[in-house]
Amino acid sequence: MPIFDQSESMMFAKWHGTDDLQNNEEFWTDCWEFYLDKTVKLPIAMSDRVVETISSRIVCPPHACNDCCTTYEKLRMTKEEAEVMSIIGNPDLKYEIKGDDVILDISGGCPFLKDGACSAYDKRPPTCRLFPILSPCQTRRSDMSVFDQLQMRIKCDTSFECIKAIIKDACDRFDLLLLPDLTLLHKDGSFVEDILEL
Amino acid sequence: MADYDVGEAKMFAKWHATRNLLDNEDFWADCRVLLLNKVFTLPFPDTEANRAVFAEACAKYSECIVPTLFKQVPVSEQELQFMKENIRSGIRNIVRSKNDVYLDMSQGCPFSRNRSCSIKKFCPDFCSRFPVMPPFVSVSDDGETFYHLQVLACYPEVIDVIKTLYKMAFSNHPEIVILPDLSVVANQ
């Protein structure tokens, strides 16, 4: 039997028996209330369309919530991105170079966070730009190809609107069914076994 | 987000839009097919009376299927001692792993005769209780321990018993919602 947490149980108790949840605004209002801070892992690949859907919605001004600056302990970026931010060679920063990546130590808060705002706002790396999308989970399809699977935390209105838009898009394009715990199933009852590409 | 197996996914896809599943006979007919061979943690205590209902429903199956389903059967030291005292042929399939003792069933059960148990009076609790499984233990916020009845739906009759128990317990409780995987949630 699937194991539901308390918020999922409450959502099932209220919404079991209702069809077409993805188009029910009252359902989404409840999701916002019950699933705040929940990490949602969708059977959807991080395609260009998904990134566009997200980046067009997540427009956080420099003085916004700062969650991305304090949530992570390490911030991974490419060497090019690190150079743009003048990280490499900066004696005040703790970082390590691993292959083509630079990993900046931001435990205790990001060193670029000054007076509650990002001092490198225009140069910040994709991890910060796309927060609260979490690092994609590498998943294998049944044909053994590896895909970056979308996972996102419901952290703020904007992230919630992104998840809602992506789920609605997936339901429409692939004729999927949405359950109250935000699980997606094919309408014939078969699993969404493979990572879908929107 | 929970993990669903194939049968559960089919049940949710078919029955997600039906609120009252308890009184829906078509739903129960589907359960007998799609939810077979799953272990159910039921919202009832693991009491002798509750276990007996399942034993009675499955009594018509004389064959013992435990060795076909489990490679090892857990046994307590007391049970083992009791078996040693009463089984003349001895017990040659004992496996010890740290503090746990098992009877090895990977080559079949040495006490099986014509697919029936030849040591029914002395067999371990795990076998005599089957299809009731060891209880699922949970602890409440105030430290109270609950032993939930767990059962393996190896026969359709197990689903029938679950249906009867659910109807007896929840028929007049509209706040209780049965989900398509037979889990129970409360609408508060």
Side-chain angles (χ1 to χ4, degrees), chain A residues 100-160:
Chain A
D100 291 334
D101 289 343
V102 173
I103 298 159
L104 178 66
D105 181 358
I106 58 167
S107 53
C110 179
F112 290 97
L113 180 67
K114 304 264 195 283
D115 299 325
C118 179
S119 61
Y121 185 73
D122 293 332
K123 301 170 189 169
R124 70 198 195 285
T127 307
C128 306
R129 287 178 193 275
L130 291 176
F131 183 86
I133 298 181
L134 306 176
S135 300
C137 167
Q138 294 251 303
T139 308
R140 237 174 240 286
R141 275 187 177 151
S142 52
D143 65 1
M144 300 308 275
S145 56
V146 176
F147 272 79
D148 284 339
Q149 184 177 359
L150 174 69
Q151 49 177 351
M152 196 165 185
R153 193 179 305 170
I154 300 179
K155 194 82 183 165
C156 55
D157 295 6
T158 356
S159 60
F160 182 63

Side-chain angles (χ1 to χ4, degrees), chain A residues 71-113:
Chain A
T71 297
Y72 299 118
E73 300 214 323
K74 290 182 190 293
L75 180 59
R76 184 183 281 266
M77 62 193 86
T78 63
K79 272 185 187 166
E80 290 76 25
E81 288 158 358
E83 271 168 19
V84 170
M85 291 179 76
S86 308
I87 290 172
I88 297 173
N90 187 334
D92 297 331
L93 301 177
K94 278 193 231 167
Y95 64 90
E96 56 180 319
I97 298 174
K98 276 194 175 174
D100 291 334
D101 289 343
V102 173
I103 298 159
L104 178 66
D105 181 358
I106 58 167
S107 53
C110 179
F112 290 97
L113 180 67

Side-chain angles (χ1 to χ4, degrees), chain B:
Chain B
M1 297 159 88
D3 288 325
Y4 300 82
D5 67 25
V6 176
E8 288 159 354
K10 284 196 170 151
M11 288 297 284
F12 270 96
K14 182 166 179 185
W15 293 102
H16 71 279
T18 307
R19 182 74 176 174
N20 180 5
L21 294 175
L22 191 62
D23 300 320
N24 190 313
E25 289 306 317
D26 288 341
F27 164 72
W28 287 108
D30 277 355
C31 290
R32 287 175 121 248
V33 177
L34 291 169
L35 298 182
L36 267 190
N37 295 320
K38 293 185 197 313
V39 175
F40 292 97
T41 303
L42 301 175
F44 307 112
D46 180 63
T47 60
E48 203 165 312
N50 281 338
R51 291 195 295 268
V53 185
F54 286 97
E56 197 179 323
C58 300
K60 68 176 182 180
Y61 297 98
S62 57
E63 287 185 3
C64 175
I65 60 169
V66 170
T68 63
L69 297 171
F70 302 94
K71 285 186 176 170
Q72 290 186 327
V73 164
V75 59
S76 69
E77 291 288 358
Q78 293 94 317
E79 286 172 335
L80 195 59
Q81 189 56 39
F82 183 65
M83 289 174 78
K84 281 177 180 170
E85 286 167 7
N86 290 283
I87 300 170
R88 284 184 195 167
S89 57
I91 308 163
R92 290 182 214 97
N93 58 334
I94 301 168
V95 178
R96 289 184 184 274
S97 166
K98 293 182 183 170
N99 295 327
D100 300 320
V101 190
Y102 300 92
L103 296 182
D104 178 29
M105 299 281 165
S106 57
Q107 307 296 319
C109 178
F111 307 111
S112 181
R113 303 282 179 272
N114 298 321
R115 295 183 185 168
S116 290
C117 182
S118 62
I119 55 158
K120 263 194 175 164
K121 284 182 187 168
F122 320 117
C123 73
D125 271 358
F126 185 92
C127 299
S128 59
R129 287 179 176 198
F130 189 81
V132 173
M133 304 290 287
F136 175 80
V137 184
S138 71
V139 182
S140 68
D141 289 342
D142 50 10
E144 202 177 343
T145 305
F146 293 98
Y147 294 87
H148 300 261
L149 189 64
Q150 282 206 117
V151 62
L152 173 66
C154 52
Y155 307 119
E157 284 77 1
V158 172
I159 302 283
D160 297 341
V161 175
I162 295 174
K163 173 180 153 185
T164 307
L165 292 175
Y166 276 14
K167 286 201 172 193
M168 280 163 56
F170 306 130
S171 272
N172 296 316
H173 293 273
E175 76 281 10
I176 299 291
V177 182
I178 311 293
L179 298 183
D181 64 334
L182 292 182
S183 55
V184 176
V185 289
N187 199 357
Q188 293 155 347

Side-chain angles (χ1 to χ4, degrees), chain A residues 33-79:
Chain A
E33 189 182 326
F34 284 105
Y35 293 153
L36 188 64
D37 255 333
K38 180 185 172 84
T39 297
V40 180
K41 192 171 162 186
L42 297 171
I44 292 168
M46 279 285 284
S47 62
D48 290 347
R49 185 182 165 101
V50 168
V51 171
E52 195 187 307
T53 304
I54 293 165
S55 52
S56 66
R57 283 175 173 77
I58 296 184
V59 188
C60 305
H63 280 91
C65 67
N66 297 329
D67 274 344
C68 58
C69 320
T70 52
T71 297
Y72 299 118
E73 300 214 323
K74 290 182 190 293
L75 180 59
R76 184 183 281 266
M77 62 193 86
T78 63
K79 272 185 187 166

